Amino acid sequence: MNGAVKEFVHSIINTLESVLPSKEYIPLHEPEFSGREWEYVKDCLDSGWVSSVGAYVDRFEQMLCDYTGSPYAVAAVNGTAALHICLLLAGVKAGDEVLVPAATFIATANTVTYCNAIPHFVDVEERTLGLDPHKLNDYLKEISEFRRGICYNRLTGRPIRAVVPMHTFGHPVDLDPLQELCERYHLVMVEDAAESLGSLYKGQHTGTRGLVSSLSFNGNKTITTGGGGAILTNSKSIAKVAKHMTTQAKTPHRWEFNHDLIGYNYRMPNINAALGCAQLEQLPGFIEKKRNLARCYQVAFQDIPGIRFFTEPDFARSNYWLNVLILDEEFARERDNLLESTNNAGIMTRPLWTLMHKLSMYHDCPRMDLSVAEDLESRVINIPSSAYLGK
Ligand SMILES: *Cc1c(COP(=O)(O)O)cnc(C)c1O
């Protein structure tokens, strides 16, 4: 590193240290169990109901409805499984294309593949870090045509069935223009809200706009059930099918084993839901602390040249799941230096995911111009974001 680069890297480490506690190592995101977790898990063990039926599953689902305003919630074994079911419920079939952002966690693309459908990669916008509805609209105008009321990709001859906005690091996608686009092109919207529990778009909880949406409660998410996820929907009938499909599609009967669909063993165990109930009770407090931490970062990085702290778009109240620094163009080539030096200094940092179309399995998938995603990939860095850091 030359002198100027060293100075730049030092200024960033110093700024991070001014916000963070002095500890040997600070991970990116740690769970916090300071509520009634022990009590509920113990109750669960004492009752003997630890598996896929039990009072905590029902209670957790009801609490999710109350918190998000979604009329229905179906708990699942993890967020990936929840999204898989969401896509099936959206009518995604073998040979369909599904529009997904190029900048996302692998599960968004993989679940499309689980349906034997093909992910079609879409660019993101710097304002939200999520799918760009205006750029997508211009692109669809160019490449799509209607056949019997269904939107087809003229270049591949395949139907484009659905679009999956993902609320990157908790920051909501601009859903109004996206919803208009869905109506215009007859696409089903499925929200991957795995990262955005507690985030609002124009006052409405993310994951309540799509026909179906998925949440994740993995260990690194805003709240955790160890592993877990959920499906949100406004439709009673879809919720019923979601529950059925996640429980091996077994038809209810006292002693007979009958199944009327190919179902999945995707139900959340009661013991995980017990953890989830205790975590959800603390969620408003977690969000407050996470937003506090973001404000501290924002102030601290205000006058640091060469880098910018990412703040929520003006239509949103974000959970700030993972905080983001964006390097100015002229410092993009120092990204790896910065990642190496911060991790060496005991502050865990991480780049953006490798973009989906750069992974070997997804090389040949259809895609639009992805210049914004590619530009952000070279400039985005995640910094420590655990709720307790924002006390
Ligand atoms: C975490 C995550 C998932 C999947 O969640 P799991 O519970 O780990 O299966 C899906 N999509 C995105 C964008 C995620 O961040």
Side-chain angles (χ1 to χ4, degrees), residues 90-104:
V92 173
K93 297 197 173 53
D96 287 352
E97 290 182 10
V98 177
L99 301 163
V100 302
T104 187

Side-chain angles (χ1 to χ4, degrees), residues 76-83 103-109 111 165-169 192-196 214-221 225-230 321 350 353:
V77 73
N78 58 55
T80 307
L83 187 56
T104 187
F105 177 60
I106 186 76
T108 320
T111 47
M166 193 282 282
H167 306 293
T168 312
F169 307 131
D192 181 349
E195 306 186 350
S196 64
S214 60
L215 299 174
S216 167
F217 315 112
N218 191 30
N220 62 343
K221 295 289 182 357
T225 57
W321 171 54
R350 215 179 59 175
W353 310 279

Side-chain angles (χ1 to χ4, degrees), residues 83 99-109 111 122-125 128-132 163-175 178 189-196 199 206-207 213-214 216 221 321-322 350 352-353 355-356 382:
L83 187 56
L99 301 163
V100 302
T104 187
F105 177 60
I106 186 76
T108 320
T111 47
V122 176
D123 207 9
V124 298
E125 56 175 335
T128 65
L129 305 177
L131 198 147
D132 184 337
V163 57
V164 187
M166 193 282 282
H167 306 293
T168 312
F169 307 131
H171 299 294
V173 165
D174 195 357
L175 290 172
L178 186 63
M189 196 206 291
V190 176
E191 288 176 74
D192 181 349
E195 306 186 350
S196 64
S199 297
T206 51
S213 308
S214 60
S216 167
K221 295 289 182 357
W321 171 54
L322 286 189
R350 215 179 59 175
L352 195 67
W353 310 279
L355 299 177
M356 294 301 107
N382 287 129

Side-chain angles (χ1 to χ4, degrees), residues 79 151 182 190 194 277:
C151 179
C182 285
V190 176
C277 290

Side-chain angles (χ1 to χ4, degrees), residues 145-152 158-161 185-186:
E145 68 183 16
F146 279 107
R147 296 186 205 162
R148 300 175 308 276
I150 296 166
C151 179
Y152 274 77
R158 290 187 291 243
I160 304 177
R161 192 73 59 185
Y185 291 98
H186 304 180

Side-chain angles (χ1 to χ4, degrees), residues 232-254:
L232 302 182
T233 179
N234 298 327
S235 155
K236 186 176 183 174
S237 58
I238 289 176
K240 207 172 155 196
V241 181
K243 195 165 251 189
H244 190 56
M245 286 179 76
T246 55
T247 46
Q248 307 277 32
K250 184 180 178 298
T251 48
H253 193 277
R254 276 178 59 208

